[in-house]
Amino acid sequence: FLMWAWRKNNSRAVFYLVALFLLSLSVSEVMSHFGNLKNANFYLPITRAWELLAGSLTAFCVRRNGVRSHGGLAMLGLLFVLVSLFAFDSKTRLPSLYGLVPVAGVVLIILFAGPKTLAAKILGWRYLVGVGLISYLAYLWHQPIFVFARILLLDLRPGDSKMLFLSGATLFLAALTWRFVENPFRDRATVSR
């Protein structure tokens, strides 16, 4: 459907994307109010599609208008992401309307953080870029590391020091994987298509 919409690139295709976005967001909001549906709400594609569709709609905007430089809107987006990072906790109903805060933040950053904006300079800081480069690998590593640690330690709720150590191990393994697996595979001179 997205490939069809991308090829069509017309207002009808965008209308369908917006309609699906609103339907998915509505379903996730309704389901977020029922505790017995919490897992279904988190894992079902219909309740998570709106987040992906927000990215799709953003791609359509960038395709039509490019990335604009608007420091205020880019910083507002960064603020939305930071607020959700520090204000949301395990009691926050997600996915739901609360999820609009970080998603809207990322959309604002993509649309308005031109190279000269403060938000782009902050996000372009080399240490943040480094974490970004290994973030998906950290996501892949964290689950087995944390699960095996809980099994080996017979501790379902490891303390802060153990969690800090496990997080450090996750980042270390992610960095090694990026350096010795992902990077070589992305080098076209080393690995052909």
Side-chain angles (χ1 to χ4, degrees), residues 133-152:
L133 287 172
I134 65 168
S135 63
Y136 183 66
L137 295 164
Y139 166 76
L140 294 177
W141 274 112
H142 92 280
Q143 187 67 18
I145 288 173
F146 281 58
V147 167
F148 285 126
R150 286 182 177 129
I151 291 170
L152 292 173

Side-chain angles (χ1 to χ4, degrees), residues 35-170:
N36 59 335
L37 296 176
K38 183 178 181 182
N39 284 338
N41 191 31
F42 186 82
Y43 290 109
L44 286 175
I46 185 63
T47 59
R48 301 309 293 262
W50 69 270
E51 296 159 318
L52 297 171
L53 289 166
S56 302
L57 290 165
T58 303
F60 274 89
C61 288
V62 170
R63 181 182 191 182
R64 278 199 185 140
N65 306 317
V67 174
R68 305 280 174 104
S69 282
H70 192 292
L73 290 174
M75 283 305 289
L76 181 64
L78 190 54
L79 178 67
F80 281 2
V81 171
L82 292 173
V83 163
S84 62
L85 184 65
F86 293 107
F88 290 6
D89 59 19
S90 61
K91 294 180 183 86
T92 306
R93 290 180 294 108
L94 289 171
S96 69
L97 289 175
Y98 288 112
L100 280 174
V101 176
V103 171
V106 171
V107 167
L108 287 171
I109 290 168
I110 292 170
L111 291 177
F112 298 108
K116 295 188 192 266
T117 62
L118 179 60
K121 289 177 182 170
I122 292 170
L123 293 172
W125 188 44
R126 70 184 279 212
Y127 296 107
L128 288 179
V129 171
V131 170
L133 287 172
I134 65 168
S135 63
Y136 183 66
L137 295 164
Y139 166 76
L140 294 177
W141 274 112
H142 92 280
Q143 187 67 18
I145 288 173
F146 281 58
V147 167
F148 285 126
R150 286 182 177 129
I151 291 170
L152 292 173
L153 299 172
L154 298 174
D155 189 359
L156 292 178
R157 296 195 181 272
D160 290 344
S161 60
K162 289 178 187 170
M163 292 299 281
L164 189 60
F165 174 78
L166 294 173
S167 297
T170 298

